[in-house]
Amino acid sequence: MCGIVGYIGDQPAADIILDALKRLEYRGYDSSGIATLEGKKIHLTRAVGKLAQLDTALKNTPQAGNIGIGHTRWATHGGVTEANAHPHLAADEVAIVHNGIIENYAELKAELLAKGHEFSSQTDSEVLAHLFLDIVRQGYKGAQAMQQVLARIKGAFALAVLLRDSPDTLFVARNASPLAIGIEDGLVCVASDAMAMAHLTRNVIYLKDGDYAALSLDELQIFDRDNQLANREIIRTSASPALIDKGGYRHFMEKEIHEQPDAIAHTIAAMTDAKGVLKTGLSDADLGDIRHLVILAAGTSHYAGQVGRYWLEGLAGIPVSVETASEYRYRAPAHLAGGAVVAISQSGESLDTLMALRHAKEMGLKTIAIVNVPESSIAREADIILPTRAGPEIGVASTKAFTAQLTVLFALAVDFGRAKARLSADEAAGLQQKLLSVPSAVGAAIDCFEAIRPIAQSLKKTPSCLFLGRGRLYPLALEAALKLKELSYIHAEGFAAGEMKHGPIALIEEDLPVICLLDGDDLSAKTISNLKEAEARGATIILIATASSAKLVDFDSFRVVIEDCDPLLAPLILAIPAQILAYQTAVEKGTDVDQPRNLAKSVTVE
Ligand code: AGP
């Protein structure tokens, strides 16, 4: 996703902005640029590719000025070219960087073309620059110009703007796309993510939707959507530069796989009350009043929700539907009274999930957020926050956040089970004990890190493969397929094992890899017979299985075997070899493990 940075201070802006952009690299991008304002002169440098290209260009043509804006672009409108890279200029009077999508850019562009404006890119963002120019030329200045622009545009956006005639002021605005303001002696900065400026300041203001601001070293003016001056709270962010470090691992993803025992343990600890009882933080009143749950999420978080449904229905008897956020927000869902939504999001900024949460809120449902970033938009808009304590997850492919989400969902099921009198206090305590055994079981599962390499080597040339699972392991098969496809670019598809004979078995051909998750539960025998049908037709079988379930398979197969565990918690533990298989395959294929092509860590566009 695009990353925005802005700076005004007592130091030259370009290098500070470049360094901040580097701390946003994990968001995924394909080009970048920086504009600075020196007196009445706007300097601009842009480059396609990684930030190293921009760095080289800046070294070749240094640009002065203590105020500037920078951008890493994840292409939405227009190809990956220097002309489409941000910042966009209009007549050397306006420079702008933008994250999001301006939905009515085409009509605005037509209007501006008719007025004689000329464009050099295919982007919606350049239209914004010319709209600013047009409004400034009508005599509007500074924040009033921003107000006029915001009155004309529709869509999700975070903006930072330089105006030639306001050389000491940074103008910013946000609607649905995140933007944080950082404040320290001698500087004011802005960034899409507080992490990008944590080395400059931890004092952060998060703008609300519709806010815009004029920021100078002497004054911060923040206006709300009604154009009234607004007071926004300054918070001390938990983001810190030390957290963005590989710690000796080759990739952030490798580090984050290894951090999972701690991430799960910290998440459990944060949900354990003074008496040592596992409590998610929902009040007894809420637990009693809520009669059904709607889980809203995307991608990996959606698969976590699908696993959570098995626990919530099985342990608490609470009806659960799991919705794809991007679909839910445009449906007219029918809900019984007493419903609550659970929005699951690592970043807390996925626009699909944020908008689905708002849709549910408009329908009167209570909103619960399971997020890894407590200051995120989804967290700020939900009624109740259930934080995962995985720490910042930098690798685009989610790992520790996923198992931390599962941890919260399991605890939520126990909480509801106790509140709905489906679980006695002893039964709940027993389940808590099982959960407490997970960090060490996950640590043991990580030991397969090297043993998986030969299987990854066998996979790297395959054009496609299937993942199978049943029951709680069916959503894990979907997640394992997503991991492999997003990291290694191999087409991978997950199926409910029982579904194979209803069509997908037609895909089976000689040497097609079929990867099957087994945990020794009472469905394993059925899964193995589904697997046998694939093996009989020439598939190459790969097991990701607990020791006892692997013994039930009497035909040839590659095997990743982990210690036996309670099948109830198997998704938390079998997730580890599935993640490692995807990671090792990507390493074998030489793909960009932490920033796979076309992907972003936080998808803040539709
Ligand atoms: C996960 O590996 C993917 N990067 C992606 O599917 C991700 O889970 C999805 O975009 C949702 O992100 P969120 O959890 O931050 O909302």
Side-chain angles (χ1 to χ4, degrees), residues 272-460:
T272 304
D273 70 10
K275 299 192 187 86
V277 178
L278 190 66
K279 298 281 287 173
T280 57
L282 258 65
S283 68
D284 290 342
D286 282 331
L287 290 165
D289 294 347
I290 293 171
R291 304 224 300 272
H292 68 89
L293 291 174
V294 180
I295 295 177
L296 307 174
T300 289
S301 299
H302 184 263
Y303 300 138
Q306 287 197 38
V307 174
R309 172 169 54 188
Y310 285 86
W311 289 328
L312 285 157
E313 291 183 339
L315 297 176
I318 187 164
V320 177
S321 66
V322 185
E323 301 280 353
T324 298
S326 56
E327 288 297 314
Y328 178 85
R329 65 174 291 203
Y330 291 111
R331 273 197 10 236
H335 292 306
L336 300 171
V341 294
V342 179
I344 305 175
S345 175
Q346 185 287 128
S347 62
E349 298 297 351
S350 289
L351 190 61
D352 290 328
T353 308
L354 174 63
M355 301 311 268
L357 178 85
R358 290 181 181 173
H359 190 45
K361 213 164 184 173
E362 284 157 13
M363 288 184 286
L365 280 82
K366 186 176 284 288
T367 55
I368 300 164
I370 297 178
V371 292
N372 199 41
V373 181
E375 310 134 21
S376 60
S377 302
I378 289 173
R380 293 203 305 275
E381 297 197 19
D383 300 321
I384 302 164
I385 305 174
L386 303 182
T388 48
R389 307 282 181 177
E393 186 177 70
I394 308 301
V396 165
S398 187
T399 49
K400 62 177 183 174
F402 174 67
T403 47
Q405 289 166 349
L406 293 181
T407 303
V408 173
L409 286 161
F410 186 83
L412 191 60
V414 174
D415 241 355
F416 272 112
R418 199 177 16 227
K420 305 285 183 191
R422 295 282 294 250
L423 293 170
S424 67
D426 286 350
E427 286 168 329
L431 290 167
Q432 178 177 348
Q433 275 317 111
K434 288 177 190 278
L435 187 61
L436 284 168
S437 70
V438 168
S440 58
V442 162
I446 290 170
D447 289 347
C448 74
F449 210 87
E450 291 310 320
I452 274 184
R453 192 191 297 278
I455 298 176
Q457 285 160 348
S458 75
L459 271 186
K460 81 179 195 182

Side-chain angles (χ1 to χ4, degrees), residues 202-223:
R202 306 272 293 272
N203 306 317
V204 170
I205 293 173
Y206 283 96
L207 293 180
K208 293 184 184 301
D209 277 3
D211 282 359
Y212 60 98
L215 309 173
S216 70
L217 291 178
D218 306 326
E219 187 181 23
L220 297 187
Q221 285 189 315
I222 299 177
F223 302 89

